[in-house]
Amino acid sequence: MGRGKIEIKKIENPTNRQVTYSKRRNGIFKKAQELTVLCDAKVSLIMFSNTNKFHEYISPSTTTKKIYDQYQKALGIDLWSAQYEKMQEQLRKLKDINHKLKKEIRQRIGEDLNELSIDHLRVLEQNMTEALNGVRGRKEAKMEDPRYGLVDSEGDYESAAALVNGASNLYAFRLHQGHHHHHSNLHLAGGFGPHDLRLP
């Protein structure tokens, strides 16, 4: 009693699908090997599963490259020329972009300005002004940030010293008015004068 006819359609169960793929792949490779031996044929098979796993069979008497070359010669086509032209076009585009960027950089430092019109010069000036304002704003923000060790307040000596020497090495500064002088003397616990105070 023969087997019933199997309907050819996608196998929905992943496990059954993989088992069927493996069995039939091996069967096709076996037939390709038989053709190579029995008929002295040059056979090349390339297969990718639905999980992108690669399998290949090539007759021992040839190579994949030789098969491709023979295929192109038989059909009178070039498989690589179209791809090569696409790569060349992409390279030309990248070179144009690189050239424009270099030119823009030179113009931002005051070079290659002769060919620019008044309108272009105005746009360039506006862009540079906006960039300069951004740099100044960032600089001022960092100057006001105590993490960078810049102190604007005259009374914030303790914070400045803590940043430089660590909180454990913080000294207290006291300002005293002398009884016999009209100027102020700045003293440390050890009796240093104003000329001894130096930032590291």
Side-chain angles (χ1 to χ4, degrees), residues 133-145 150 152:
N133 291 337
V135 172
R136 285 175 175 169
R138 184 58 180 166
K139 184 191 72 173
E140 293 173 358
K142 285 193 173 184
M143 290 179 64
E144 295 174 358
D145 193 334
L150 300 175
D152 293 333

Side-chain angles (χ1 to χ4, degrees), residues 161 169-176 185-194 196-198:
N169 297 325
L170 182 63
Y171 293 95
F173 292 88
R174 295 181 180 179
L175 191 64
H176 299 280
N185 293 323
L186 190 62
H187 294 281
L188 290 172
F192 296 101
D196 294 315
L197 296 179
R198 296 289 186 274

Side-chain angles (χ1 to χ4, degrees), residues 9-153:
K9 66 177 183 179
K10 180 180 178 181
I11 301 174
E12 298 298 334
N13 185 282
T15 302
N16 294 340
R17 185 192 311 144
Q18 182 62 35
V19 171
T20 302
Y21 174 80
S22 298
K23 289 181 177 180
R24 300 209 173 198
R25 180 198 67 217
N26 293 337
I28 292 175
F29 283 1
K30 183 178 179 181
K31 292 296 183 182
Q33 185 179 13
E34 291 174 356
L35 282 172
T36 299
V37 175
L38 297 174
C39 306
D40 194 26
K42 296 181 178 64
V43 182
S44 175
L45 293 176
I46 296 176
M47 300 177 65
F48 289 91
S49 68
N50 66 330
T51 57
N52 289 327
K53 192 172 182 180
F54 170 73
H55 298 92
E56 180 184 29
Y57 172 83
I58 185 74
S59 297
S61 59
T62 187
T63 64
T64 302
K65 183 181 183 303
K66 289 180 179 179
I67 289 289
Y68 285 157
D69 292 342
Q70 191 171 354
Y71 174 81
Q72 294 180 99
K73 184 177 180 181
L75 297 183
I77 61 175
D78 188 345
L79 295 174
W80 317 116
S81 60
Q83 182 65 22
Y84 178 77
E85 287 299 326
K86 289 181 181 179
M87 294 175 63
Q88 288 294 106
E89 179 63 24
Q90 182 67 16
L91 179 61
R92 285 191 289 269
K93 290 180 180 179
L94 291 176
K95 285 183 177 180
D96 290 341
I97 294 174
N98 185 52
H99 175 73
K100 291 178 181 178
L101 289 175
K102 286 183 176 181
K103 187 175 183 179
E104 183 177 348
I105 291 174
R106 289 195 301 269
Q107 291 174 349
R108 284 180 177 269
I109 62 176
E111 300 177 0
D112 292 348
L113 301 178
N114 292 335
E115 61 184 32
L116 295 181
S117 65
I118 293 296
D119 291 338
H120 288 162
L121 288 172
R122 288 173 178 169
V123 172
L124 178 61
E125 181 182 20
Q126 181 179 356
N127 292 338
M128 295 180 66
T129 300
E130 293 175 355
L132 181 59
N133 291 337
V135 172
R136 285 175 175 169
R138 184 58 180 166
K139 184 191 72 173
E140 293 173 358
K142 285 193 173 184
M143 290 179 64
E144 295 174 358
D145 193 334
R147 293 177 299 174
Y148 293 90
L150 300 175
V151 181
D152 293 333
S153 174

